[in-house]
Amino acid sequence: MSVRILALVGSLRAGSHNRQLAEAAVKLAPEGAEVELYEGLAEIPFYNEDIDVEGSVPEAAARLRAAAQAADAFLLFSPEYNGTIPAVLKNAIDWLSRPYGAGAFGGKPVAVVGTAYGQYGGVWAQDETRKAVGIAGGKVLEDVKLSIPGSVTRFAETHPADDAEVAAQLTEVIARVHGHAGETVAA
């Protein structure tokens, strides 16, 4: 049985270290798991109930919801912007939380990881992301964490996939998400 893990990245920058971390996750996925890096968060309009009307949901939001519905689990990559979650990631969570009571997270396992320039690796943003996705209906894996500090210097000349310590930690995160998702799918 293959487990599909949808990766959402909270940074739109092409050279984002969080995007590179997500790319590494795609490469490091164990047998039986597929990590899909979602493209298109920049095209999704800010959540507004006035435009979230059945039959006329914006195409970009509908694509995100379809990808999320097809996923067995989620891996969210969050940088830290001004001490909190980036707007693009929060917006995705808002769209996936609806329709109320039947959102795409629907009790599926969710892990939040990331890297940031600061000495704590973005833990505030990751904590805020866990809070938001839990309220949105996801089964937050509170014990599956990875916060990598000093991203600007650590990944200045090395892709996260080529950093042995990071690759090992990320592989463990993916394996744990895969395990939780397998339990959920089998239930």
Side-chain angles (χ1 to χ4, degrees):
M1 164 185 64
S2 183
V3 171
R4 189 163 177 230
I5 302 167
L6 187 64
L8 303 178
V9 179
S11 174
L12 300 178
R13 189 172 63 83
S16 161
H17 296 119
N18 280 283
R19 180 173 178 80
Q20 291 175 359
L21 198 59
E23 292 166 354
V26 170
K27 290 168 128 174
L28 297 169
E31 187 173 328
E34 173 194 352
V35 177
E36 176 193 341
L37 177 53
Y38 187 81
E39 303 287 354
L41 291 185
E43 286 78 45
I44 301 169
F46 282 113
Y47 185 79
N48 176 343
E49 286 184 57
D50 291 341
I51 62 173
D52 187 9
V53 178
E54 191 173 335
S56 65
V57 171
E59 178 59 31
R63 277 194 313 274
L64 172 64
R65 284 180 173 167
Q69 287 291 351
D72 299 307
F74 299 87
L75 188 52
L76 307 184
F77 295 83
S78 184
E80 189 168 275
Y81 292 175
N82 298 310
T84 193
I85 181 174
V88 68
L89 189 55
K90 177 62 168 68
N91 189 48
I93 293 168
D94 291 345
W95 276 103
L96 295 176
S97 73
R98 300 289 193 265
Y100 184 75
F105 287 117
K108 296 175 184 178
V110 182
V112 180
V113 300
T115 185
Y117 177 68
Q119 65 180 338
Y120 301 111
V123 295
W124 289 347
Q126 292 169 32
D127 287 345
E128 291 294 318
T129 303
R130 286 184 194 92
K131 175 183 166 187
V133 80
I135 292 169
K139 178 185 171 189
V140 177
L141 305 177
E142 293 288 349
D143 62 333
V144 180
K145 297 180 179 179
L146 177 58
S147 302
I148 305 164
S151 62
V152 172
T153 53
R154 183 164 193 162
F155 303 126
E157 296 182 19
T158 304
H159 192 284
D162 299 325
D163 180 311
E165 179 185 19
V166 169
Q169 292 171 329
L170 189 55
T171 298
E172 174 64 20
V173 165
I174 299 164
R176 294 190 60 204
V177 172
H178 178 246
H180 283 281
E183 291 170 11
T184 302
V185 170

